[in-house]
Amino acid sequence: MIKYTYPLPLRWADADAYGHVNNAKFLQYMEEARTRMFQEMLPADEAGRRQHAFVVGRSVVDYRAPLPYRDAPVDVNVWVVACRGARLELGYEIRDADQMYAEATTTMAAYNLDTGRPRRISEAELDFLARYTDS
């Protein structure tokens, strides 16, 4: 399986009073990696992006270890678990070479923001997502 990897720099503001990255920040890390992965797939113009949006319906995060604040980035890996119709499920790992900090999934819907309705995932989007699919 090919994973999209985004080396995400940590920010001092991400840390809690214990010096660990706050667990709520993990959702933002996933969003950042997913957004960067999707940049190549989504239209360049605002109108096109509105008509070919993806919205999150569910996120599940399994925290494996505390992530201490540090200068070194952490890797956020993203891949496609399932994709069909209007539904997209992505898998994530937040890790470095020695430690897994979290594993997660998001279930998303392909969505047209102009009509306020789900839409089918296009052939071009399926072709792009196939790069990151195990099957």
Side-chain angles (χ1 to χ4, degrees):
M1 162 183 18
I2 297 174
K3 297 177 183 177
Y4 175 84
T5 300
Y6 177 62
L8 187 129
L10 303 179
R11 299 177 323 151
W12 174 252
D14 294 350
D16 59 20
Y18 303 110
H20 299 113
V21 172
N22 184 287
N23 62 349
K25 293 293 180 180
F26 283 57
L27 292 169
Q28 289 179 339
Y29 293 174
M30 293 161 40
E31 176 186 43
E32 183 71 26
R34 177 179 66 242
T35 300
R36 290 182 182 270
M37 178 179 141
F38 281 12
Q39 280 180 338
E40 187 179 330
M41 176 180 68
L42 294 176
D45 63 298
E46 178 64 21
R49 284 192 305 271
R50 290 189 56 78
Q51 293 170 7
H52 293 92
F54 287 86
V55 295
V56 174
R58 178 183 172 154
S59 294
V60 177
V61 181
D62 293 318
Y63 299 96
R64 302 295 183 208
L67 173 56
Y69 173 77
R70 63 190 193 200
D71 289 333
V74 65
D75 285 336
V76 183
N77 299 318
V78 186
W79 65 94
V80 175
V81 174
C83 180
R84 75 171 174 264
R87 184 176 175 270
L88 173 62
E89 185 177 352
L90 298 175
Y92 304 84
E93 295 172 334
I94 299 174
R95 65 170 306 126
D96 56 31
D98 301 323
Q99 182 69 53
M100 174 78 69
Y101 300 105
E103 295 176 285
T105 59
T106 56
T107 303
M108 305 181 76
Y111 205 78
N112 184 322
L113 295 172
D114 290 336
T115 64
R117 302 194 42 86
R119 61 174 183 83
R120 294 193 66 79
I121 298 171
S122 72
E123 286 298 319
E125 290 166 332
L126 289 170
D127 289 343
F128 173 84
L129 295 166
R131 297 183 209 172
Y132 303 103
T133 302
D134 194 17
S135 52

